[in-house]
């Protein structure tokens, strides 16, 4: 799974780093937790200025483990915990989102239910 963290701010933006010990945990609505592993070396992302704003982007690939993989097909994801190199951060996954820029509606909690079958075979 490709993970991307984008921060935009006029002030200083703290770097979040990942390494081979980094894990991403998906909390499912059915109470189960799916663990993903980061297989690569340390990565702290990139920093740039855009339209007089600071922008920090961290991109990484995470691998699914075999256990609980099937639960992603049937249970929505309600939160995500990322264990970075120096701290752990929790993210709440929204049930529904409307993109004003793209004029598109999405259901992030059901992402794997809706799309996992596309990459299985």
């Amino acid at each position: 799974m490709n993970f991307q963290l984008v921060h935009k701010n006029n002030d200083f933006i703290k770097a979040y780093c990942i390494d081979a010990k980094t894990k991403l945990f998906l909390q499912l609505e059915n109470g189960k937790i799916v663990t993903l592993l980061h297989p690569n070396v340390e990565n702290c992302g990139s920093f740039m200025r855009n339209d007089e704003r600071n922008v920090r982007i961290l991109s990484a690939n995470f691998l699914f483990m075999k256990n609980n993989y099937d639960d992603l097909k049937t249970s929505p994801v309600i939160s995500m915990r990322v264990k970075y190199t120096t701290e752990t951060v929790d993210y709440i996954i929204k049930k529904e989102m409307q993109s004003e820029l793209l004029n598109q509606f999405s259901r992030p909690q059901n992402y794997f239910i809706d799309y996992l079958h596309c990459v299985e075979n």
Side-chain angles (χ1 to χ4, degrees):
M1 178 178 85
N2 183 275
F3 170 83
Q4 190 172 64
L5 178 66
V6 179
H7 281 160
K8 296 179 183 180
N9 201 320
N10 292 332
D11 298 326
F12 174 77
I13 301 172
K14 177 178 142 180
Y16 289 101
C17 299
I18 57 176
D19 61 14
K21 296 177 187 171
T22 298
K23 293 181 181 178
L24 189 147
F25 304 97
L26 301 174
Q27 174 71 54
L28 304 183
E29 193 174 73
N30 66 7
K32 294 185 180 178
I33 296 174
V34 176
T35 302
L36 289 79
L37 303 175
H38 182 259
N40 296 327
V41 296
E42 186 174 70
N43 173 7
C44 294
S46 58
F47 177 82
M48 65 187 85
R49 275 195 68 74
N50 186 4
D51 298 328
E52 298 189 23
R53 294 180 77 186
N54 295 324
V55 179
R56 186 173 294 278
I57 300 172
L58 172 65
S59 295
N61 290 313
F62 284 84
L63 303 174
F64 289 96
M65 295 172 52
K66 196 71 171 159
N67 61 337
N68 294 340
Y69 179 80
D70 288 332
D71 291 317
L72 288 169
K73 299 176 194 175
T74 59
S75 185
V77 177
I78 57 173
S79 68
M80 176 176 65
R81 172 173 284 175
V82 182
K83 184 182 172 292
Y84 296 102
T85 54
T86 58
E87 65 184 288
T88 300
V89 179
D90 292 326
Y91 302 95
I92 302 301
I93 308 298
K94 292 184 177 185
K95 191 172 219 159
E96 298 176 342
M97 290 177 62
Q98 177 70 38
S99 170
E100 294 175 10
L101 182 63
L102 300 174
N103 196 26
Q104 292 179 341
F105 174 79
S106 64
R107 299 181 316 155
Q109 284 188 356
N110 286 22
Y111 183 82
F112 294 107
I113 294 170
D114 295 339
Y115 299 107
L116 193 58
H117 69 276
C118 297
V119 295
E120 278 191 305
N121 297 325

